[in-house]
Amino acid sequence: MHLRTAWNHIRRSPYQACAAILTMALTFFVAAVFFLAAIGIQTILADFEKQPQITAFFSDIKSEEDIRLLDEKLKGTGTVEKTVYISKEDALRIYQEQNKDDPLLLEMVTADILPASLEISATDPKHLEGLAAILEQEPGVEDVIYQKDVVDRLIAWTQVARTIGLVLVLVLATVSLLVLLTVISMKIALKREEIEILRLLGATNWYIRWPFLLEGGIYGVIAATLAWGASFMAVWYSLPFIKSFLTGIVFTGLSPLLILTLLGGLVAGGFLLGVIGSFFALVRYL
Amino acid sequence: MIEFKNVGKKYSGGSFGLEKVTFSVVPGEFVYLIGKSGAGKTTILKLLIGEVKPSSGKIIFKGHEIQRFSRGNIARLRRKIRMVFQDFKTLFDRTVLENVMLSLYILGRRGKEAEAEAKKALKLVGLEDKYNYFPVQISAGELQRVAIARAIAGGPEVLLADEPTGNLDPETGGEIITLLEEINRDGTTVIVTTHNAQLVDKARKRVIAIEEGKIVRDQKEGAYHAS
Ligand SMILES: Nc1ncnc2c1ncn2[C@@H]1O[C@H](COP(=O)(O)OP(=O)(O)O)[C@@H](O)[C@H]1O
Ligand SMILES: [Mg+2]
């Protein structure tokens, strides 16, 4: 009943409805993209944390026997949890696995040009420096990579991105709330006479309010659904690009559960934002 | 059923409004409120639906003091005491049928049920062939009937009609009065304001005359002018 009245309100002023829906959809779209990005980064971080914390790459002068001795020396410090030796052939296998869709890249690479490496997990991150010092003094060690550095930088970036996202979403939410307030206020003004008549015929305040609240809610739900669709389109189209950028990381993020959770969250958020916007207008003008 | 006890109303402009108005109406009665323009007739009706609050005195409906009602109770009161406004207050972007359905929706009627009751009310006022007309497409007399249909749809206990013959030619005015008398015969208490002497004289109903906010005469089977 109230829903029908709300629907009639919307139908009679499609342009205002569009303005409200589009600004809200933009807000939700940005929120959704930042949310998905956060989840993506979380996955990447988790992946990094599973990986060894320090990796030493060897030049070809280093024999397997040398590396075995080095391995023992490292373990002798008592700060190493485990090590994994990756020979040139292992490296090629990993490379082939990561680039199995790209024959051109596969052709270009042979085991010869890939370095052998030792992945070392420390019992505690604070021992990493000592281990790195040993490695750097060792002849035949070409490069030492701290995963910690990468993770730290990633976390810092995440922090920045999260702040930007939050501020952006807050600003957009305020704007859409204001647009909604304006649209609903205009409708209340246009319906002054009708509202007055309804009151004289015995309508309660809530009888008059419900359609407006639902109208705001409907705007929110439509906007949320649009934003949801758009954000997945955006992720879908940019995923191959992101994947090529971050080889070796398995994306398990886009599960159906996540997709539905996001839809549910957006729709609930949209409905709430819409109802709140209308409510402010009603408090102000009714 | 309805009781005014020493009701006074002072409008902020300083005009007199009403002074010590006392009268009562029993269920099923038909009452004419008569008096010159500005005498206070509309004010009495507005007090009865809680649109105007009295400055002094009590207005009682079925034992409850209306002037003390909360907004919610006033809303409920207006579903029992329905008013036909002098300016009709119909919505011009709705059809005749939709206008009548407004008051039924407020009573909680839905869909087919609301439509059937609205059609019944419109049939009673003689507009069964104008359901889908818009208010601009019908005459003043027909618009008055729409306003009456909207007020009686759903069966109120009291019907208030503010100058229902004011804008009409004598013949159409007479038809409206006949209609109101029919509604009264079906059990609804009816209070009508008018300054149409001819119709009042013909009706021989109770007459309450008001002058400058005071009741000057209250007569059973009265005429427009004091005899
Ligand atoms: N809202 C108002 N504000 C100030 N004065 C009013 C208002 N409504 C009515 N009045 C005054 O109260 C008196 C009675 O008005 P009303 O009840 O409308 O008379 P009637 O219906 O008999 O013509 C008039 O003098 C009118 O000017
Ligand atoms: Mg009047």
Side-chain angles (χ1 to χ4, degrees):
Chain A
M1 170 66 210
H2 292 308
L3 204 64
R4 240 234 319 276
T5 311
W7 180 244
N8 283 334
H9 286 191
I10 295 171
R11 239 190 25 205
R12 283 183 193 154
S13 52
Y15 297 117
Q16 289 152 338
C18 280
I21 290 171
L22 286 180
T23 43
M24 285 173 98
L26 181 66
T27 309
F28 298 140
F29 175 71
V30 171
V33 165
F34 272 95
F35 176 74
L36 288 175
I39 296 236
I41 291 172
Q42 215 60 51
T43 320
I44 295 168
L45 280 175
D47 207 76
F48 268 118
E49 273 159 7
K50 265 185 279 161
Q51 289 180 21
Q53 286 155 322
I54 199 165
T55 307
F57 291 96
F58 303 105
S59 68
D60 291 349
I61 59 160
K62 202 82 172 163
S63 70
E64 289 202 10
E65 180 60 16
D66 292 336
I67 294 171
R68 203 184 57 73
L69 285 173
L70 172 65
D71 185 36
E72 269 169 18
K73 187 168 154 192
L74 289 169
K75 282 179 174 157
T77 63
T79 59
V80 173
E81 184 165 296
K82 70 167 194 203
T83 59
V84 178
Y85 173 63
I86 296 168
S87 67
K88 292 166 93 68
E89 287 72 27
D90 292 335
L92 180 64
R93 226 174 297 121
I94 293 168
Y95 180 85
Q96 282 170 342
E97 179 57 32
Q98 284 177 2
N99 295 291
K100 60 173 181 270
D101 302 329
D102 200 330
L104 199 68
L105 287 178
L106 290 180
E107 262 175 43
M108 274 160 41
V109 173
T110 60
D112 285 345
I113 66 163
L114 293 170
S117 60
L118 192 65
E119 295 178 342
I120 304 136
S121 306
T123 50
D124 192 291
K126 69 171 183 263
H127 301 312
L128 283 174
E129 254 172 273
L131 292 170
I134 296 173
L135 287 170
E136 265 152 16
Q137 279 160 20
E138 186 78 13
V141 171
E142 231 158 39
D143 203 2
V144 177
I145 290 177
Y146 274 104
Q147 295 292 0
K148 192 174 171 294
D149 281 353
V150 180
V151 172
D152 282 351
R153 209 167 321 139
L154 217 56
I155 288 174
W157 276 111
T158 317
Q159 224 69 279
V160 173
R162 190 174 296 161
T163 312
I164 293 175
L166 210 67
V167 170
L168 204 59
V169 167
L170 276 179
V171 169
L172 284 170
T174 311
V175 171
S176 47
L177 212 61
L178 288 175
V179 169
L180 190 69
L181 213 112
T182 313
V183 168
I184 299 285
S185 305
M186 268 163 77
K187 297 211 164 180
I188 293 173
L190 283 174
K191 289 185 169 291
R192 274 238 160 267
E193 196 200 353
E194 181 176 344
I195 290 169
E196 188 50 36
I197 291 173
L198 289 175
R199 281 226 171 98
L200 289 171
L201 291 174
T204 56
N205 269 337
W206 279 109
Y207 182 93
I208 292 162
R209 282 181 195 141
W210 266 117
F212 289 107
L213 290 178
L214 286 176
E215 184 176 349
I218 291 171
Y219 290 155
V221 169
I222 295 175
T225 313
L226 285 177
W228 174 75
S231 65
F232 274 102
M233 293 270 264
V235 170
W236 189 260
Y237 279 109
S238 57
L239 209 55
F241 173 73
I242 296 170
K243 268 187 176 151
S244 72
F245 195 65
L246 295 162
T247 41
I249 290 155
V250 196
F251 275 98
T252 51
L254 285 178
S255 67
L257 182 70
L258 174 75
I259 294 175
L260 287 179
T261 308
L262 188 66
L263 177 65
L266 281 175
V267 166
F271 187 76
L272 216 67
L273 189 73
V275 168
I276 290 173
S278 300
F279 185 76
F280 282 141
L282 288 169
V283 166
R284 179 88 177 68
Y285 295 105
L286 211 75
Chain B
M1 179 184 225
I2 292 167
E3 223 178 319
F4 272 58
K5 284 185 175 169
N6 289 316
V7 174
K9 173 69 196 173
K10 262 195 131 41
Y11 283 109
S12 48
S15 47
F16 44 81
L18 293 180
E19 259 176 70
K20 286 201 186 294
V21 167
T22 301
F23 68 93
S24 59
V25 176
V26 297
E29 239 184 321
F30 193 113
V31 181
Y32 279 111
L33 274 180
I34 63 167
K36 284 206 279 287
S37 205
K41 306 182 294 295
T42 302
T43 303
I44 289 178
L45 300 190
K46 284 182 173 172
L47 284 164
L48 262 171
I49 59 165
E51 200 192 344
V52 164
K53 289 253 181 263
S55 318
S56 58
K58 289 178 183 171
I59 301 162
I60 297 161
F61 177 67
K62 293 179 137 186
H64 302 285
E65 294 184 20
I66 291 175
Q67 82 277 1
R68 294 207 192 157
F69 275 8
S70 63
R71 285 174 78 136
N73 277 333
I74 284 178
R76 271 181 283 279
L77 175 76
R78 289 174 182 174
R79 294 174 221 165
K80 297 191 185 114
I81 303 182
R82 281 267 160 92
M83 181 154 163
V84 179
F85 301 92
Q86 196 171 3
D87 58 353
F88 310 141
K89 296 200 192 294
T90 45
L91 284 172
F92 283 83
D93 60 343
R94 310 288 172 90
T95 62
V96 163
L97 187 66
E98 285 167 342
N99 264 290
V100 175
M101 278 160 75
L102 280 182
S103 63
L104 289 162
Y105 286 146
I106 291 169
L107 292 172
R109 308 286 204 281
R110 296 284 172 267
K112 287 267 166 283
E113 192 193 356
E115 196 177 313
E117 278 195 62
K119 285 181 173 169
K120 200 177 108 193
L122 282 166
K123 215 168 276 171
L124 193 75
V125 301
L127 288 179
E128 60 266 47
D129 52 348
K130 300 274 163 77
Y131 294 152
N132 295 315
Y133 282 55
F134 284 90
V136 287
Q137 298 171 310
I138 60 180
S139 70
E142 287 168 334
L143 209 51
Q144 182 64 262
R145 288 170 193 269
V146 174
I148 293 172
R150 192 179 65 186
I152 60 168
E157 296 175 34
V158 182
L159 178 69
L160 311 176
D162 198 9
E163 314 243 2
T165 60
N167 308 315
L168 307 177
D169 59 86
E171 196 188 330
T172 317
E175 285 167 18
I176 293 293
I177 293 297
T178 308
L179 174 62
L180 291 172
E181 284 175 355
E182 270 170 37
I183 292 165
N184 175 245
R185 255 199 303 282
D186 291 341
T188 310
T189 308
V190 177
I191 302 177
V192 182
T193 74
T194 185
H195 48 241
N196 187 324
Q198 209 189 334
L199 289 172
V200 173
D201 289 344
K202 209 177 120 203
R204 289 284 138 191
K205 299 279 187 192
R206 179 174 171 193
V207 171
I208 298 176
I210 303 165
E211 270 173 35
E212 303 194 341
K214 288 185 272 274
I215 293 186
V216 295
R217 179 160 57 101
D218 185 344
Q219 200 177 6
K220 277 209 155 58
E221 298 191 11
Y224 193 89
H225 297 285
S227 44

